[in-house]
Amino acid sequence: MDRRRFLGSAALLAAPRIVFAKAATERRFVFVIQRGAADGLNTLIPYADPAYASARGALAIDPASALKLDGSFALHPSLEHLGQLYAARQATLFHAVASPYRDRSHFDGQNVLESGGTAPYQVKDGWLNRLLGVLPRNGKEAIAFSPAVPLAFQGVVPVTSYAPSALPQAHEELLMRVEQLYAQDGQLHALWSSALEARSMAGGMGGGANRQDAGALGRMAAGFLGRADGPRVAMIETSGWDTHSGQAARLATQLRNLDKLLAGLQEGLGPVWDQTVVLVATEFGRTVAANGTGGTDHGTGAVAMLVGGAVDGGRIVADWPGLSAASLLDGRDLKPTLALDALITAACAESFALEPDRLAPVLFPSGGPRPPVPRLLRA
């Protein structure tokens, strides 16, 4: 396949964490991070590239079983709901995407992705927190649905946390007694009221099984985001994408859970889905060739997704570098041709009606010139 541009016509999610923030807009922005380096070549399959099947070997996915999107790319068969969103023009998929990071450490790669630096530990706070800093402040700026706030949301804008318990739900009578106990304590009463409000937004969800259910996780996130007085920005962490061995079955499970997560978000948000933008990205991709244990190792170029009712979708954006041996980065990786920071900047700017040129140095203060990204959202 010649180099060209196409602008065409989680194991279970492990200990997922959700982070919420509030902004004065009807748009909802959700960042889903795939921790562990998700394999883009078997997520958005370049089946028409003549080198794909031979380079992937036994890991190559038969185009007959994949969800063909056009004459060049197909989705993994586990991504059935995403395929429906693409057909409904509510998903745009980006291939050969990467952050500025070019080494192969998960910790360093995730640090670069979340901080917005060009090198690990160069920037101390996160680009999502800096985004909050330029949005209107309305009191409840952010809440982290996790034991700890991820780096992308760390910074000067306060972020509190709410973690679902693996214990059984407390009886309403017990909650009422605690409410009465704290009623005369100004500090504890405020904290307890905030916790109950978060519990209400989550639909009272609790218990270890639900925490592992990707669809329930999406519906829980929607319980927060769908409220008129709820948050407008979210981050959802998924893990388990480091498929060094047994990739075929493991990746299928991961992608199926991602698909359920997106379906749960859409279902839970209802009409609010039309105002929603979901960005899915990973710290780096994986090697083109399989290793000796039926998996792939740490690579470079990856896949990113923009999904939601507000997305002007039904497109694949890929300045495709090809998979021939001469086209690979370092002789092993998909060569990146689209900057992930440019995509993030464009998605955030369009979501919140901000000027991209002014927003870029806020989100990515160490970055250089960024190539333009086509319009992403509906007018």
Side-chain angles (χ1 to χ4, degrees):
M1 188 186 307
D2 294 332
R3 180 180 177 89
R4 55 182 293 201
R5 178 176 299 271
F6 294 96
L7 296 174
S9 13
L12 296 177
L13 296 180
R17 303 170 183 174
I18 307 178
V19 179
F20 299 97
K22 188 171 183 180
T25 174
E26 289 306 307
R27 283 268 168 83
R28 275 72 167 172
F29 183 85
V30 183
F31 173 44
V32 178
I33 186 171
Q34 299 167 291
R35 296 197 186 278
D39 179 38
L41 287 174
N42 278 10
T43 298
L44 182 58
I45 305 156
Y47 70 90
D49 189 315
Y52 169 74
S54 59
R56 288 253 118 170
L59 283 183
I61 295 178
D62 184 351
S65 67
L67 306 173
K68 288 188 179 179
L69 302 180
D70 60 15
S72 301
F73 292 99
L75 281 175
H76 190 284
S78 293
L79 293 171
E80 183 176 356
H81 187 74
L82 179 60
Q84 295 171 4
L85 292 172
Y86 182 90
R89 302 182 61 83
Q90 295 184 11
T92 299
L93 309 175
F94 304 82
H95 219 321
V97 181
S99 78
Y101 183 70
R102 292 294 178 269
D103 293 318
R104 304 177 191 276
S105 162
H106 291 303
F107 299 107
D108 291 352
Q110 290 174 28
N111 182 275
V112 170
L113 171 56
E114 293 187 80
S115 69
T118 57
Y121 311 103
Q122 179 185 58
V123 180
K124 302 304 181 185
D125 56 359
W127 64 264
L128 266 175
N129 194 281
R130 295 195 295 276
L131 172 65
L132 297 178
V134 300
L135 297 178
R137 306 278 292 273
N138 290 316
K140 285 184 282 186
E141 305 305 334
I143 180 170
F145 186 71
S146 65
V149 178
L151 173 60
F153 247 138
Q154 293 178 17
V156 297
V157 179
V159 178
T160 57
S161 64
Y162 171 82
S165 174
L167 299 174
Q169 285 288 331
H171 293 295
E172 293 298 326
E173 181 181 356
L174 174 60
L175 298 178
M176 187 185 310
R177 291 182 178 180
V178 176
E179 173 78 16
Q180 294 171 348
L181 180 65
Y182 289 166
Q184 303 304 315
D185 188 304
Q187 184 175 8
L188 291 178
H189 179 71
L191 291 172
W192 181 250
S193 297
S194 178
L196 289 181
E197 181 182 13
R199 180 178 182 271
S200 175
M201 285 185 179
M205 176 176 152
N210 283 340
R211 293 179 65 187
Q212 300 298 320
D213 185 313
L217 172 63
R219 291 188 293 274
M220 174 190 279
F224 285 82
L225 292 162
R227 293 171 57 113
D229 61 345
R232 292 295 182 267
V233 180
M235 178 175 173
I236 301 178
E237 293 184 315
T238 67
S239 58
W241 298 95
D242 195 17
T243 51
H244 284 287
S245 62
Q247 174 172 302
R250 292 176 59 194
L251 183 64
T253 300
Q254 289 293 109
L255 293 174
R256 190 176 302 114
N257 278 282
L258 176 62
D259 206 51
K260 291 179 179 178
L261 173 65
L262 296 173
L265 270 172
Q266 183 181 16
E267 176 188 350
L269 286 171
V272 176
W273 177 254
D274 290 341
Q275 295 290 339
T276 299
V277 178
V278 183
L279 172 67
V280 182
T282 191
E283 68 261 32
F284 46 73
R286 307 195 73 81
T287 53
V288 173
N291 58 29
T293 57
T296 52
D297 298 321
H298 300 173
T300 308
V303 162
M305 311 173 188
L306 208 62
V307 183
V311 174
D312 184 13
R315 297 179 293 164
I316 297 170
V317 179
D319 186 5
W320 187 244
L323 296 177
S324 66
S327 301
L328 301 183
L329 178 68
D330 298 331
R332 56 179 280 174
D333 295 348
L334 175 65
K335 184 182 298 182
T337 56
L338 176 63
L340 182 54
D341 57 356
L343 173 57
I344 291 173
T345 298
C348 292
E350 289 192 43
S351 294
F352 298 108
L354 301 170
E355 290 292 334
D357 291 344
R358 295 185 178 182
L359 183 61
V362 174
L363 301 187
F364 302 98
S366 303
R370 296 165 180 83
V373 173
R375 183 168 182 84
L376 302 173
L377 308 186
R378 302 183 191 277

